[in-house]
Amino acid sequence: MLKLTSKDNVNIKNAVKLKNGAKFRRRSGLFIAEGLRICRDAVLSGAEIESTFVTEDALTKHRQIIEEICEKSSNSFIVTDEIFRLLSDTQSPQGVLCVIKTLDKVTEFDTIKNGGKFLALENIQDPNNLGTVLRTAEAFGVDGVILTEDCCDIYNPKVVRGSMGAVFRLPFVTVDGIPSFLAENPGLESFAAVVDGSAEKLDKISFPQSCVAVIGNEGSGLRDSTVSACSHRLTIPMRGRAESLNASAAASIIIWEMIK
C-alpha cells in the first residue's frame, strides 16, 4: 500500500469531491462507501473498486478483512487520521473507505418485463430516508426500485451507508417521471400512496404478482399527475392524531403488506 500524507494529493482531493458533490459523482462515474462492513459488502457484491483508503489503526484492528478488500481494489492507500477525517462523512470514522465505480443496474432491472413487485419513489429528498427505504426493500425481497431524477442522489454517502449494502444488491433504475414509466410498463398495476380517507385501505388490498407501490416526497407527497397515472390509490389507516407518516416508515409498512 502507498502511504499518503498530504491532503493536496490528487487522490485525496478527488475523494473529498466525491463525498461532497453529486455532480462530480455523476461526471466521474464514481462514489464512496465508508465503513468496514459496507466496503466488504461492496467486494462480496462484485462492485468494481477503484481505490481503498485505510488508517494505520484500522489496518491493525481489521487486517484480514482490509487485505481482502485491498486485493479487489485497483489502488490502496494508507492515510493519516487527519486526512481520513477529510474523506469521512461520519462522526466516528472506522478508518476504511472505498471509491467505487457506479453500478450498471439497467440490465439487471430488465426483470421488470417478467413481472414482480416493485417500489417507486418520487422526489424523495432526505438521504437517510432513501437509505432506509433501500435497506427495507432489499431485506423483504422487493424486486427493484424506481427513482425519479429529482430524488436525492442514490450514491450520496449517507444513502450508501444507510442502505447497509442494499445499494450494491438491489436492482434500481432512475426515470424522468413516474407517469411516463407507468405508460411504458402497462403490465404493472400501480398503487399510489396518499393521505385520503376515500382511498383503498392498505390492509384490504390484495397486491397482484406484477405491481408497483408509489411513494412521494416527505412533505408534499405525490404529484397529482402521478396519482392520476396510477391504477389504484392506497392509504395507511391510522388511529392516532398524526396526519401522515415519514416516507421511510410509510414505505416499510407498504412493502410488508405488498410482499407478505
Side-chain angles (χ1 to χ4, degrees):
M1 292 186 205
L2 181 64
K3 192 165 187 176
L4 302 180
T5 57
S6 172
K7 63 182 181 181
D8 293 324
N9 179 277
V10 65
N11 296 286
I12 302 299
K13 285 185 172 181
N14 285 339
V16 171
K17 289 179 181 178
L18 290 172
K19 178 187 75 170
N20 294 330
K23 287 184 179 180
F24 187 73
R25 290 192 290 269
R26 286 193 292 269
R27 189 165 67 247
S28 64
L30 300 168
F31 68 102
I32 65 171
E34 183 181 352
L36 189 69
R37 178 176 173 178
I38 302 298
C39 291
R40 188 165 184 265
D41 276 351
V43 169
L44 294 176
S45 301
E48 191 172 347
I49 302 175
E50 183 188 76
S51 303
T52 300
F53 298 87
V54 301
T55 62
E56 293 275 12
D57 186 54
L59 187 58
T60 301
K61 290 180 179 177
H62 310 289
R63 181 173 293 274
Q64 182 177 346
I65 296 176
I66 289 175
E67 286 180 347
E68 290 174 3
I69 295 169
C70 290
E71 283 179 7
K72 299 295 184 180
S73 179
S74 299
N75 304 284
S76 300
F77 305 106
I78 297 176
V79 298
T80 64
D81 290 345
E82 180 184 7
I83 287 178
F84 196 88
R85 282 193 291 272
L86 294 176
L87 308 179
S88 175
D89 189 55
T90 65
Q91 291 185 343
S92 302
Q94 291 183 320
V96 185
L97 181 147
C98 289
V99 172
I100 302 172
K101 290 192 176 181
T102 50
L103 309 164
D104 181 6
K105 296 285 187 174
V106 175
T107 301
E108 191 177 347
F109 204 83
D110 280 347
T111 55
I112 195 169
K113 295 173 183 175
N114 300 318
K117 294 183 177 179
F118 297 86
L119 188 71
L121 305 173
E122 182 177 78
N123 195 26
I124 299 296
Q125 293 300 300
D126 187 325
N128 295 312
N129 272 342
L130 181 53
T132 300
V133 170
L134 295 176
R135 181 180 182 181
T136 305
E138 197 262 342
F140 287 106
V142 168
D143 291 295
V145 175
I146 301 101
L147 304 102
T148 57
E149 288 184 338
D150 52 7
C151 283
C152 66
D153 182 17
I154 197 168
Y155 295 117
N156 180 300
K158 289 183 174 64
V159 175
V160 176
R161 189 169 62 254
S163 78
M164 292 302 291
V167 69
F168 302 120
R169 299 183 292 270
L170 184 66
F172 62 84
V173 67
T174 302
V175 299
D176 292 337
I178 300 300
S180 58
F181 170 81
L182 293 176
E184 293 167 4
N185 295 276
L188 279 178
E189 277 199 62
S190 48
F191 296 80
V194 297
V195 181
D196 185 343
S198 65
E200 296 176 75
K201 300 293 190 292
L202 176 63
D203 55 345
K204 303 299 182 184
I205 295 174
S206 295
F207 288 93
Q209 276 304 114
S210 185
C211 63
V212 56
V214 189
I215 310 291
N217 176 269
E218 294 90 343
S220 56
L222 291 170
R223 297 185 178 94
D224 290 342
S225 57
T226 298
V227 175
S228 296
C230 291
S231 45
H232 305 272
R233 296 181 304 135
L234 69 79
T235 190
I236 300 172
M238 295 184 291
R239 296 180 180 177
R241 296 183 179 180
E243 293 183 1
S244 62
L245 292 171
N246 173 283
S248 60
S252 298
I253 295 168
I254 292 169
I255 288 169
W256 169 252
E257 289 289 340
M258 182 170 63
I259 296 299
K260 73 177 185 179

